[in-house]
Amino acid sequence: MKFNALFIGSLAGTLAAVAAFVVFDSWDSGFFLSETPKLVVFPLMVAAAQTLLLALPALLLLNHLKRLNGITWVLIGALCAALPWSILLLVTPELVAPTFLWLALCGAIGGIAGYITSRAVSPNNSSKPTPLRGAA
């Protein structure tokens, strides 16, 4: 897969993960985006930074090693979304497991969306017919 397809897929996955975060957060009683909807910029910026600094290099490495598939997209999305926040929350152990699972679910949704998007924009999925052999 080319870098452009990986990059576009990872950005689409970021947007999907943030959309999942907003939807899941709206189900909670302490929905912090209801008072000031401009706060959605903060999770979007954090998710974009996690994607560019953690997920994209991991995707490029797995692509280089020929180990990149749909399952690894979902795993990378889940780990890159949840692991940094779980490490930051180690001072409050009662929040680590629920936060990890909740953010891992958002990251997995982003991984699925990123994989589908990258496969759709990949040059290997061209619908152009191949010319007949011997036809000049």
Side-chain angles (χ1 to χ4, degrees), residues 34-96:
S34 61
E35 294 151 9
T36 54
K38 292 179 184 176
L39 281 179
V40 78
V41 173
F42 177 69
L44 186 60
M45 288 173 40
V46 169
Q50 286 175 315
T51 299
L52 293 176
L53 297 176
L54 298 173
L56 193 57
L59 291 171
L60 290 172
L61 177 67
L62 287 174
N63 188 40
H64 177 71
L65 298 174
K66 307 284 189 235
R67 300 281 186 215
L68 188 60
N69 56 27
I71 294 170
T72 54
W73 267 90
V74 173
L75 288 175
I76 288 174
L79 286 176
C80 290
L83 202 56
W85 291 101
S86 297
I87 292 170
L88 288 174
L89 289 174
L90 282 177
V91 293
T92 56
E94 65 273 2
L95 292 177
V96 173

